[in-house]
Amino acid sequence: MTDAGLEQRPGLPLEPVRLAWALRRRARLIALAVVLSIPVGLVVAFFLAPREFVAQSVLVWEPVARSSTPARDLQTLTSSVKLPGNLAQVRERLKLSNSLEDVGARIRVGVVSNESNVLTISGSGANSEEAARFTQAVTDVFLDARVRIARTRTEEKLKGLKEEVEQMHKQLTSARERYDGFRTQHQVVDFTLDRQTAIDQLALLRSEMHKSRAEADSTTAKASLLRSAVQKAPAQLVLTENQVQADRQKLAELSALLTARRASLSQEHPEVQGLQASVEALEQTPADAYTVTGRQVGANPEFLVLQEQLTRTSIDGEAAQKKLQSYSKLQESLNERVLQLTALEGEANLLLADVRLAEERLGKLKAEQAELEAAVRQPSSELRVLNSPVPPPYAAQSSRRKVALAFPLLAGLLAVLFVVGQELRGLRLRTPSEIAFWAKAPVLASSSWPQAPEELRNLVLELASRGEQAQGTTLLLPLDPARSASAAELVEALRPRMPFLRLWDETDRVQALRRASRESARVVVLVDAGAHAALEFTGLRRLLGREDGIGLVVLGLGPELALLRDRVGDDSDFWGPSLSHADLSPVRGVVKESYPLDSEQRLGGRR
C-alpha cells in the first residue's frame, strides 16, 4: 500500500488507545506474570545462567635484534596470537568442538603500555579451571609457534651461511696457494722475519765494521809507535850489576844489637848509649849509596820485545784491513738483500692480507654458523613468561544479574504481547477510526446502542440532523444479519424524519443488493464494534458494487471506546444531493431472484 493511499484513507489502521485500554484491563495479569517470573528468574540465574571466568598470562618480549619500529613489531606480535593455525592447534590440543571464530572470541591479547614490551594473553571459560587450562594452552601454542618460526628462520639463515662458508673456504685456499707459491718462488719462509733478520745482521755487521776500523786504526798507530820505539831503543845494555850497601848492612846489625841490649840493660848504660850513637851516625848516611862489585853487558831485551811487538802488530794490522774489506763487501750484499726483501715484503703483505682477510671472514662466518646451529638446536621465542595463568577465584563476567532482571522484563513483555494478541485476535476492528480506515469510508456516527438502549435517541438525532435534508433514497444495510432486528428498530425510529430511508434485510441476495445499492443515493452500513475483521471491510465496496456514497454507523461501543471520536472522515459528499438518483421508489423486494453466496461473495465469515 503506497503512502498516497494511506493519506487518502480516514482514520488509523490501529487505534493506540484501544491497546492502552486493553493493557489497562489486563494490568493484573501482567503484574502477576512479572511477580511469578521473579523467583523463576532467580532460580534460573543461580543454576543455569552462564558465567565467564578469565585467566591471564603475562609475557615479556625480549627481542635479540634492536628494531627501528618496536611499537609496530610488538603490535604484529600480539596480532599473531590469534592466527588460524594457532587457534586450530588450541582446539586440537583441548579437543574442542567450537569453530575457530568461537575459539578466537575467547582470547583477548593486550599490551600493558606503549612504553613496555609486556603483553597479556587472557582466556575465558565456563569455570576457573577451564579458563586457566584454556589460557595455558593458548600461551603454550603461541610460544611453540614462535619457537617453530624462529627455528625455520634460523635454518634458512644457516643454509645460506653454509654456502657462504664453503665459498670463503675456496677463497682462503686460493689466497694461501698464491702466498705459498710466492714464498716458494723467492725461497723465503717469512719475508718480514727474513727482512728483520737481515736488518739485524746488517746492524751487527756495521758494528763489527766500526770495531774493525777502530782496531785497524789502533793497530796502525801502535805499529808506528813501536817502530819509533825500536828506532830509539839501544841494541846492547848492561844486563847485570852487583852492588853492595855496607853502611846499611852495618846499620841493620847495630840496630839489632841495640834492641837486644835495651832488653837487658838500661838506657843510661854506656854500651846502650854507644850503640845508639853508632846507629844514629849510620842513619845519617844516604840510603842509595852503594858499591858496584860486578857488571854483565848483553842484548837489550826491551829492543827485542819492541821488535817482536812491532812484527806482531804489523801482522794484526794487515789482518784488520782485510777483515774491514770483507765486512764492507758483506755490508753491500746485506744492503741489497734488505732492499730486495723490502720490495718482496710489500707484495707478500698484499698476498698475506688476502689470506688474513679470508681467515678473519671465515672465522666470523664459522662463529656465526656455530651460533645459528646452537639457535637451531635451542631456538628462542624471544618471549619470557612472567606469570602463568592461575584459576581465577571470581567470574569476570556473569549473566546472573542480567538473567534475573531479564526474566521479569521478559515475562512482562510476553504478558503484554499476550494481551495485545488477544486484543488483536482475528484482526477484528473495534474503534470507529479503525473501521473507517479499512473500509475507506466515513463513520457517520458511533453509539453504544443497542447494549445501552437509552443511546438510541442520541443516535437517531445524530443521523437525522443531517440525513433529513438529504435528497434521494438512503439504503440502510446491517453488515451482520443478526442485527436485522436492531436495524429495523433504527429505521422505524428514523422514518418520521427521514421518509426516504429504506432497510435491506435480504442478506442472501447479493446481486439484488448490489443493484439496490447502485439505485440508492447512498448506503448506510450498520457495523458492530469488534464483530468484523479487517478483510470484511476491505471487501465492502466490492460487496455493494460501488465506490462512493458509503457511510458507516458503528454500534455496540464499549464504555472505554465510547470516549473516542464518534465520527471519522469527511461525510460532506455523503449527505449531499445525488446527481444521478432522485426521488427513487422503495427498493424492498425489487429483485425476487435468489443467488447463493459463494466463498468469494461471503463477507468475512458472514453466516
Side-chain angles (χ1 to χ4, degrees):
M1 186 178 298
T2 63
D3 294 340
L6 291 176
E7 292 177 358
Q8 293 175 359
R9 292 190 174 201
L12 297 173
L14 180 64
E15 184 67 53
V17 178
R18 170 189 171 186
L19 299 180
W21 280 107
L23 294 176
R24 181 178 178 181
R25 288 194 309 268
R26 299 293 185 92
R28 292 184 178 180
L29 176 63
I30 297 174
L32 180 62
V34 172
V35 171
L36 292 179
S37 65
I38 292 176
V40 176
L42 294 176
V43 172
V44 172
F46 187 79
F47 292 102
L48 301 179
R51 292 187 297 171
E52 183 181 41
F53 290 82
V54 177
Q56 186 181 79
S57 61
V58 182
L59 299 89
V60 60
W61 179 46
E62 299 173 334
V64 177
R66 179 173 298 179
S67 174
S68 59
T69 57
R72 186 177 66 180
D73 294 343
L74 182 59
Q75 184 64 32
T76 302
L77 184 68
T78 57
S79 300
S80 64
V81 175
K82 300 171 68 172
L83 290 175
N86 294 344
L87 298 180
Q89 289 189 15
V90 171
R91 183 175 63 178
E92 181 180 358
R93 181 173 295 188
L94 298 178
K95 295 180 173 55
L96 302 176
S97 59
N98 307 77
S99 63
L100 295 183
E101 291 76 9
D102 295 338
V103 175
R106 295 174 58 184
I107 303 172
R108 289 187 293 273
V109 184
V111 179
V112 175
S113 67
N114 296 328
E115 298 179 355
S116 67
N117 291 342
V118 179
L119 61 139
T120 60
I121 298 178
S122 303
S124 61
N127 52 64
S128 58
E129 290 76 11
E130 180 182 351
R133 186 168 59 254
F134 179 77
T135 305
Q136 186 64 53
V138 173
T139 304
D140 293 342
V141 168
F142 176 59
L143 294 177
D144 293 344
R146 293 293 303 173
V147 169
R148 185 170 58 256
I149 292 173
R151 178 182 285 111
T152 302
R153 184 170 58 247
T154 306
E155 288 176 349
E156 293 176 355
K157 289 183 180 180
L158 182 59
K159 181 179 179 182
L161 186 61
K162 286 182 178 180
E163 296 177 357
E164 189 175 357
V165 168
E166 184 178 356
Q167 185 66 26
M168 189 55 60
H169 265 299
K170 294 180 180 179
Q171 293 182 10
L172 178 60
T173 302
S174 176
R176 282 177 176 174
E177 289 177 354
R178 291 195 301 271
Y179 180 66
D180 293 340
F182 185 79
R183 291 190 301 173
T184 303
Q185 177 183 358
H186 296 282
Q187 297 181 353
V188 177
V189 176
D190 189 340
F191 289 92
T192 302
L193 181 60
D194 287 2
R195 184 179 67 85
Q196 187 63 39
T197 302
I199 291 174
D200 294 342
Q201 290 177 354
L202 181 61
L204 182 62
L205 181 60
R206 285 177 180 175
S207 177
E208 293 295 332
M209 282 182 62
H210 291 314
K211 291 181 181 180
S212 298
R213 185 176 289 109
E215 183 180 355
D217 295 340
S218 175
T219 303
T220 301
K222 183 178 179 180
S224 298
L225 293 175
L226 289 174
R227 191 175 294 108
S228 177
V230 167
Q231 291 176 359
K232 293 179 180 181
Q236 297 289 329
L237 52 77
V238 178
L239 297 177
T240 60
E241 186 179 37
N242 295 325
Q243 294 179 354
V244 178
Q245 290 180 334
D247 295 338
R248 291 298 173 185
Q249 291 178 357
K250 186 65 177 176
L251 178 60
E253 291 176 0
L254 292 177
S255 295
L257 183 60
L258 178 60
T259 301
R261 290 289 185 267
R262 284 177 175 176
S264 59
L265 299 176
S266 64
Q267 185 66 25
E268 290 80 9
H269 195 277
E271 187 178 358
V272 173
Q273 291 183 354
L275 289 174
Q276 183 175 359
S278 298
V279 169
E280 291 177 353
L282 290 175
E283 287 179 351
Q284 297 296 324
T285 61
D288 56 351
Y290 58 85
T291 301
V292 177
T293 58
R295 180 179 294 174
Q296 181 180 356
V297 179
N300 189 358
E302 183 180 359
F303 179 80
L304 295 177
V305 171
L306 289 174
Q307 191 173 14
E308 183 181 359
Q309 290 180 352
L310 177 61
T311 302
R312 188 178 296 121
T313 302
S314 297
I315 295 173
D316 292 341
E318 292 179 1
Q321 289 297 331
K322 290 182 179 181
K323 184 178 181 181
L324 182 60
Q325 292 175 359
S326 299
Y327 281 162
S328 298
K329 292 180 180 179
L330 186 59
Q331 181 183 7
E332 293 178 358
S333 176
L334 284 176
N335 280 331
E336 294 179 356
R337 182 61 176 170
V338 168
L339 293 176
Q340 182 183 10
L341 288 175
T342 302
L344 293 176
E345 185 184 10
E347 299 180 13
N349 286 337
L350 293 177
L351 297 175
L352 185 60
D354 293 340
V355 174
R356 289 176 178 174
L357 287 176
E359 289 177 346
E360 182 179 0
R361 178 59 181 167
L362 183 60
K364 291 182 178 179
L365 291 177
K366 286 186 175 181
E368 187 176 356
Q369 180 181 358
E371 293 179 358
L372 291 179
E373 289 176 350
V376 169
R377 290 191 299 269
Q378 294 181 347
S380 173
S381 63
E382 299 183 347
L383 292 167
R384 180 164 53 89
V385 178
L386 297 181
N387 284 330
S388 299
V390 295
Y394 305 103
Q397 293 181 358
S398 175
S399 58
R400 287 183 173 180
R401 180 176 300 177
K402 295 179 181 179
V403 172
L405 295 176
F407 255 80
L409 296 177
L410 182 60
L413 179 60
L414 291 178
V416 169
L417 294 177
F418 174 77
V419 172
V420 172
Q422 288 291 323
E423 181 68 21
L424 300 180
R425 183 178 58 181
L427 298 179
R428 297 185 179 276
L429 307 182
R430 297 182 181 275
T431 66
S433 179
E434 296 172 349
I435 294 172
F437 179 85
W438 292 101
K440 292 191 292 185
V443 174
L444 306 176
S446 301
S447 176
S448 57
W449 181 81
Q451 282 78 6
E454 66 275 7
E455 294 295 328
L456 176 60
R457 182 174 179 277
N458 293 329
L459 178 59
V460 170
L461 292 176
E462 180 72 22
L463 294 176
S465 64
R466 300 191 64 185
E468 62 184 358
Q469 303 296 329
Q471 301 179 1
T473 304
T474 299
L475 182 64
L476 191 142
L477 169 68
L479 190 58
D480 187 359
R483 288 297 182 184
S484 298
S486 298
E489 185 179 357
L490 179 60
V491 170
E492 291 298 329
L494 287 172
R495 193 178 299 278
R497 301 183 63 176
M498 297 176 63
F500 295 103
L501 180 62
R502 299 291 180 265
L503 174 64
W504 181 268
D505 56 357
E506 299 180 16
T507 57
D508 56 345
R509 301 180 64 193
V510 178
Q511 297 298 331
L513 173 61
R514 289 176 178 173
R515 187 170 68 238
S517 174
R518 296 188 188 105
E519 292 175 352
S520 300
R522 62 196 63 83
V523 179
V524 177
V525 181
L526 298 180
V527 179
D528 281 347
H532 305 281
L535 293 179
E536 297 184 48
F537 292 101
T538 58
L540 181 60
R541 294 175 180 272
R542 186 172 65 253
L543 174 67
L544 298 178
R546 60 187 299 166
E547 295 296 329
D548 56 355
I550 301 175
L552 304 173
V553 176
V554 181
L555 304 177
L557 289 176
E560 304 93 354
L561 301 181
L563 300 176
L564 301 176
R565 290 188 301 170
D566 59 341
R567 295 173 60 179
V568 180
D570 185 10
D571 59 351
S572 58
D573 295 336
F574 179 80
W575 297 110
S578 176
L579 299 179
S580 57
H581 307 285
D583 196 15
L584 296 176
S585 59
V587 296
R588 181 186 294 270
V590 172
V591 180
K592 300 298 184 179
E593 294 82 12
S594 176
Y595 300 93
L597 295 176
D598 55 14
S599 59
E600 294 182 356
Q601 293 170 334
R602 293 182 181 274
L603 186 58
R606 171 175 296 196
R607 299 183 297 274

